């Protein structure tokens, strides 16, 4: 009876296994299988950037508590830079020997990711001997970029993973899931401004410009104040807009919102009443179609040019608004959550599959019947 009891106790102990141990076994199995059949993109060494100021200053905690342990379990070596100022990651990447790494990871929000993506692509142009003031045909980023969501806005991470979840994002990096993504260049006639994924001119840019002038306020209060103030002073922008449309066959029309089809969505909100504009804004937070208004036009395009123009015959108040950021002749742009000011025409071009991101296109997952049998 004693032996029988001992055997039963041993059996019970063996069945109680902590999840971290099971996960470790699975990672090692997949790594071994990946060397022969798949997962060829599994990284062994990563350059990591952590923005400690993201959101509620939680990015450092997210990385060291949730992400770093998984990298360690997967035997991935990391070189970590905790950024100390805006543009720090860009400065490091310009001097970084990227051939020493299999990928780059950014822990932060959309603004941080945009800076790292810009740095990666700018470094690629420098290494290729390109003129960085004029890049009509940029070369691709040499290594993939991983996005760990830890910011106020995490739109790119949600697009890649279908959820704002640091562990999910980390697992995509560990497994080496690669998703080619289109990137835009934003340039004036004389220079490249930056690489980026999205931009706003007009209301969204002026809101950001006003918020940046009140950085002494707490983040949430600053954004709410800027939004309400800009909405109260709402005026139409005077600009000349031209674009090159992308011809999409009718049967492929559902493809126009993908991450890598060589197109971008141009959304033009024309002059309307403040009440109607607010209705349009509210729909961004609902399931209703925010574009189903007579004053909203949408186009699928390859290139866009925006030329700001000063109105003549304005009263003092209108001139104050339209020149709020133009006292020096500059107009605000919101590029991936970062403020840029330019006086001249801005030319936006989309470049197909210019960078690889760790993740998958969630549209593919939703339309696919594929299942996973490895767990």
């Amino acid at each position: 009876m004693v032996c029988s009891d001992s055997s039963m106790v041993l059996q019970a102990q063996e069945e109680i296994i902590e999840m971290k141990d099971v996960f470790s076994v699975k990672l090692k199995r997949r790594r071994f299988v990946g060397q022969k059949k798949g997962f060829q993109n599994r990284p062994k060494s990563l350059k990591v950037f952590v923005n400690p100021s993201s959101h509620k200053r939680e990015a450092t905690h997210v990385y060291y508590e949730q992400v770093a342990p998984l990298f360690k379990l997967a035997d991935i070596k990391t070189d970590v830079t905790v950024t100390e100022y805006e543009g720090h990651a860009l400065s490091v990447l310009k001097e970084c020997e990227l051939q020493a790494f299999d990928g780059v990871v950014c822990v932060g929000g959309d603004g941080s990711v945009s800076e790292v993506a810009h740095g990666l692509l700018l470094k690629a142009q420098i290494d290729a001997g390109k003129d960085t003031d004029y890049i009509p045909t940029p070369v691709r980023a040499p290594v993939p970029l991983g996005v760990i969501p830890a910011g106020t806005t995490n739109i790119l991470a949600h697009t890649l993973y279908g959820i704002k979840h640091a562990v999910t994002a980390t697992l995509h990096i560990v497994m080496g899931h690669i998703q080619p993504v289109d990137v835009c260049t934003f340039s004036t006639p004389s220079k490249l401004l930056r690489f980026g994924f999205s931009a706003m001119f007009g209301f969204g840019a002026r809101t950001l410009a006003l918020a940046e002038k009140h950085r002494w306020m707490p983040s949430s209060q600053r954004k709410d104040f800027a939004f309400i103030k800009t909405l109260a002073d709402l005026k139409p922008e005077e600009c000349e807009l031209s674009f090159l449309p992308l011809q999409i066959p009718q049967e492929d029309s559902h493809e126009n919102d993908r991450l890598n089809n060589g197109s971008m969505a141009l959304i033009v909100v024309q002059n309307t009443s403040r009440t109607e504009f607010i209705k349009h804004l509210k729909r961004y937070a609902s399931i209703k179609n925010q574009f189903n208004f007579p004053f909203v036009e949408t186009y699928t395009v390859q290139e866009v040019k925006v030329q700001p123009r000063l109105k003549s015959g304005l009263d003092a108040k209108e001139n104050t608004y339209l020149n709020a950021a133009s006292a020096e002749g500059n107009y605000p742009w919101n590029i991936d959550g970062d403020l840029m000011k330019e006086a001249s025409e801005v030319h936006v071009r989309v470049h197909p599959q210019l960078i690889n991101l760790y993740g998958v296109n969630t549209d593919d997952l939703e339309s696919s019947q594929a299942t996973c049998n490895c767990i």
Side-chain angles (χ1 to χ4, degrees), residues 226-239:
F227 178 84
I228 295 171
K229 176 65 175 173
T230 307
L231 195 58
D233 295 334
L234 186 65
K235 295 288 191 305
E237 300 287 343
E238 187 75 4
C239 66

Side-chain angles (χ1 to χ4, degrees), residues 148-161:
I148 305 294
T152 303
T153 57
N154 303 278
I155 297 173
L156 186 59
H158 195 280
T159 303
L160 288 167
Y161 315 127

Side-chain angles (χ1 to χ4, degrees), residues 144-319:
L145 171 61
V147 180
I148 305 294
T152 303
T153 57
N154 303 278
I155 297 173
L156 186 59
H158 195 280
T159 303
L160 288 167
Y161 315 127
I163 189 174
K164 177 198 170 185
H165 194 250
V167 173
T168 298
T170 305
L171 292 178
H172 278 292
I173 296 170
V174 168
M175 302 310 296
H177 295 159
I178 296 296
Q179 173 65 48
V181 174
D182 300 343
V183 181
C184 297
T185 50
F186 299 86
S187 58
T188 68
S190 61
K191 65 177 180 178
L192 170 74
L193 297 177
R194 70 177 297 157
F195 293 93
F197 299 100
S198 64
M200 289 184 281
F201 176 82
F203 179 79
R206 293 198 179 276
T207 300
L208 177 62
L210 187 58
E212 288 296 310
K213 289 183 177 180
H214 294 78
R215 292 197 68 87
W216 53 269
M217 299 174 64
S219 177
S220 59
Q221 294 180 22
R222 179 173 72 242
K223 292 175 181 177
D224 290 344
F225 164 78
F227 178 84
I228 295 171
K229 176 65 175 173
T230 307
L231 195 58
D233 295 334
L234 186 65
K235 295 288 191 305
E237 300 287 343
E238 187 75 4
C239 66
E240 182 179 293
L241 182 68
S242 58
F243 57 87
L244 177 64
L246 178 69
Q247 302 299 325
I248 301 179
Q250 187 66 33
E251 61 270 19
D252 295 332
S253 60
H254 67 286
E255 298 284 313
N256 63 359
D257 59 347
R258 293 176 61 87
L259 293 170
N260 54 12
N261 71 336
S263 73
M264 52 185 165
L266 171 63
I267 304 165
V268 182
V269 181
Q270 299 189 27
N271 192 7
T272 187
S273 68
R274 183 178 289 105
T275 301
E276 288 298 301
F277 185 66
I278 292 174
K279 289 180 181 178
H280 163 68
L281 293 178
K282 283 184 175 179
R283 288 201 180 179
Y284 277 89
S286 73
I287 60 174
K288 294 182 179 179
N289 187 348
Q290 64 266 40
F291 309 128
N292 190 23
F293 290 96
F295 55 87
V296 179
E297 298 179 5
T298 61
Y299 305 91
T300 302
V301 302
Q302 293 175 295
E303 297 184 30
V304 178
K305 290 182 180 180
V306 180
Q307 174 66 63
R309 297 192 182 281
L310 283 175
K311 280 186 176 180
S312 58
L314 295 178
D315 60 33
K317 184 177 180 180
E318 287 177 317
N319 262 320

Side-chain angles (χ1 to χ4, degrees), residues 111-169:
S112 304
V113 174
S114 177
E115 179 184 332
V116 173
H118 173 65
L120 261 178
L121 287 163
L122 195 61
K123 172 65 172 175
Q125 313 316 308
I126 294 172
D127 289 347
K130 295 268 188 177
D131 178 2
T132 55
D133 285 335
Y134 179 69
I135 312 176
T137 54
V139 299
R140 300 184 79 247
V143 294
L145 171 61
V147 180
I148 305 294
T152 303
T153 57
N154 303 278
I155 297 173
L156 186 59
H158 195 280
T159 303
L160 288 167
Y161 315 127
I163 189 174
K164 177 198 170 185
H165 194 250
V167 173
T168 298

Side-chain angles (χ1 to χ4, degrees), residues 1-14:
M1 286 293 293
V2 174
C3 289
S4 177
D5 289 341
S6 175
S7 176
M8 291 177 63
V9 170
L10 179 60
Q11 183 178 6
Q13 289 176 341
E14 289 177 344

